[in-house]
Amino acid sequence: MSMIKLEEDVSLVLCGEAGQGIQSVENIMVQALKMGGYHVFSTKEYMSRVRGGQNSTQIRASSKRVKAYRDRIDILVALSKGAIPHLEKRITENTLILGDEEVLQDLEEKYYNLLKAPFISKAKKLGGLIFSNVIAAGALSCIMGVDKEIFDELITLLFASKGEKILENDLKAGVEGYDIGKKILDSGRISIKIEKNPATGKEILINGTQAVGLGCISGGCKFISAYPMTPSSPLQVFMADNASEFEMVFEQAEDEIAALNMALGASYAGARAMTATSGSGFALMQEGVGLAGMIETPVVIYIAQRPGPAVGLPTRTAQEDLNLALYSGPGEFPRIIFAPGNFKDALELSHKSFNLAEKYQIPVFILSDQYMADIYYNLPSLDIEKLEVEDYIFETDTDYKRYLFTPDGISPRGIPGYGQGLVCVDSDEHDEEGHITEDLNLRTRMVDKRLKKMDKIRKEAVPGEFFSTSNSSAYTTLIMGWGSTYWPLKEALLEMDNDNLALLHLKQLYPLSSQAGELIKKAKKSVMFENNAQGQMAQLIQKETDLKIDHKVLKYNGMPFSVEEILAVLETLEEE
Amino acid sequence: MDPEIFEMENADIAWCPGCGDFLILKALKQALADLELGPEKLVLVSGIGQAGKLPHYLKSNVFNGLHGRSLSPATGIKASNPDMVVIDVSGDGCMYGEGGNHFMHTIRRNPDITNIVLNNMVYGLTKGQASPTSQIDFKTPFQVDGVFEEPFNPLAVAITLGASFVARTFAGDIPHMVEVLKKAIEHKGYSLVDIFQPCVTFNKVNTFTWFKENTYLMDDTHNPYLKIEALKRALEGNDGEGKFPLGIFYIKKGHPTFEENLSVYKKDKTPLFRRKVDKNKLKNLIDSKRGL
Ligand SMILES: Cc1ncc(C[n+]2csc(CCOP(=O)(O)OP(=O)(O)O)c2C)c(N)n1
Ligand code: SF4
């Protein structure tokens, strides 16, 4: 039973059953902490069920920017009996566990740092278990030094729509929470010192899904057809929510097959179009990816990955569908695959996806995952000033040919109803006018024409982000990752502060920028971190550059890499 | 307008001589000419199959997509540019087999498109397998003992699902086809025109003569505005009893179309490709994430 002193960076974890409102606590807490002058980060892990099970949310609050998942738990709010066994591996003697008598009763004080806090019993008195989340949020906000007025304002904002009675009770729950918080502070068991910075209060607070969504809107998306599937559904919700304001059509298709085909029809008619799905759903779309390739019609495909095969672990995270995206669709044709690692990239790469899809008349993929889709953090803003929608649609004349042979393989793209010409696209092999052909010479020329586009696409490939604490290229070990591993890797590297280490975070996975090969060649040792079992990106690098990655660190249990896990790997690498 | 306007001079038509598809092509050109719908206004969408090749033989904008999927791009096209006249042409295998799910849900969605199905009760392009509309006992290289599955009844299904226009006609009767096609194209909302089409190569049972002998034209006594009456007629000819009626089975008036239901078009009919991104609105959306 030691006194816990927390400075600069606090990791709070709330854990309870589905239906207990852990999600609402996350919503309240991230806002409250940000408004209260801290940098915040949150990530959730949850089970694929509507009631019961164990779900948890990690919230980090700090005087510095924090954007990555850590194993460390400083304060654990246990709202269910299952919470402690569920998080067993992450609990240490430095974890202060708060919970009701009944939740903590079977735990031995010599192993655990326990402090009773009557979240559930007070909630019951207020009229139901559901209030336990607001009470917990209140207690934590109080401990963290968030002004009560800010807290009340938030509660009002979040619950006003639910009716006066409910709001009134939630405000009361807040009072109870702050009461409990004060008692915890008075107990002398914990002290927290984090410098506040009022500027964070004015920053934006978004999640990875919203960052992608904002990029899609800025990229001129006008049509989205999709079929619900976790973890892509939040993006579908975001686009549906904003459809009216931004003059977009959102349609829930009858299945993924229809979703992509509908988007291709929309795109053929000139609307910038996209679809969103996850692994199993994307498996159904592959036929349509081939169609996009053959009819050279732009489309953006957002894949929020989760573990497979088949339906896998519906609510967990993975990076397992790179190969699926890379090889999807029959035949051979060009494509681009992006994997944003932070919110700025998510905005800009999603935006760029639409321009490149139009420019090259190809499918462009945005690979995200559950972890990336659901994390929140604050940032000063997102700059959309330079994000321009580039127009690649031509007004046709009477002798327009949709698939005109050109030196770079890109034919001017007309759309029906704009100009004098007729626009014919065909899934069968076709001639320059878009009419079906079985002329085998023409066939070869058409394949060449389509693949020719890759030359330009390759030259234009977005380089990865190179980072080393010394800012120099005098490194011996090159750490690599792609997509959502960005912040955990970067935070670990910053903490190592070792000039032998450098990080290459890949943003465009395919085709790969020539930079990757150059940086790998310079390293004595290359290490790839991926959330899959086979090192799909490492394999792709080898295929694209002929360079073998020395060391693969693979995690595929459905959870993201934590900073600590990465640190442990980096330390053993050093010793080797 | 002269139907010649839709002539494709150099088209290398891949249909067998004597196929019903030629007559349907002719009727469709005539119907479009009568309605004064020039090639630039038109988008013909199709899937795969002998029937699916039709758009290549009629001058227009063309989206020849995947087997069974034609209704999805057709819906996307219409929803992105409601100014275009969108006609989907498919075969019975393409539409009712591979595309069954899309057939069902497009009816529910009710986009303003015309869905023409060239129904030859067989798979032509893949050389004579059974289709969902093949009749019981129909023998094929796959169905060696003859078809034993219940034939799919597209009209009854469409009527039940609330399709807003449901009709059937016959390739052997050009004037009737032209009449029905015109009404279907003019109809606002989803319209199904199932056309009995003899496949002279792979269907030696359901021939021109067979269709003539086993169909009849509905007269004025049929009221297409009554759903139950329409359904009763749609069930005629099934189970080998009685003849198949031809004509307009069902019309549902005042049913809002998919496009009309979309909020984008509530105030402004501009096609989507002409709409820009409002950066100020986007900035506001980003700023709204600053909190309270
Ligand atoms: C996904 C897929 N499966 C199978 C095929 C092969 N295929 C081409 S046409 C066809 C059947 C066409 O039959 P129908 O729609 O009745 O048209 P018809 O040729 O009789 O006019 C099939 C199975 C295909 N192109 N795509
Ligand atoms: S196979 Fe049948 S449907 Fe196809 S063209 Fe020949 S006759 Fe017509």
Side-chain angles (χ1 to χ4, degrees), chain B residues 15-16 19 21 50 120 124 197 199-202:
Chain B
W15 291 329
C16 311
C19 173
D21 286 349
Q50 295 290 78
N120 54 14
Q197 171 241 327
C199 167
V200 295
T201 307
F202 294 113

Side-chain angles (χ1 to χ4, degrees), chain A residues 287, chain B residues 48-51 67 91-94 98 120 122-126:
Chain A
E287 180 199 32
Chain B
I48 297 295
Q50 295 290 78
H67 190 43
D92 45 320
C94 192
E98 188 88 42
N120 54 14
V122 71
Y123 281 16
L125 188 59
T126 47

Side-chain angles (χ1 to χ4, degrees), chain B residues 27-39:
Chain B
L28 182 57
K29 285 178 181 173
Q30 184 66 54
L32 291 168
D34 289 355
L35 294 173
E36 304 281 327
L37 293 170

Side-chain angles (χ1 to χ4, degrees), chain A residues 81 84 99-108 114 116:
Chain A
K81 272 197 138 174
I84 287 124
D100 279 67
E101 169 104 52
E102 52 183 302
V103 170
L104 304 183
Q105 68 188 359
D106 297 331
L107 301 170
E108 287 199 42
L114 308 173
K116 279 179 202 142

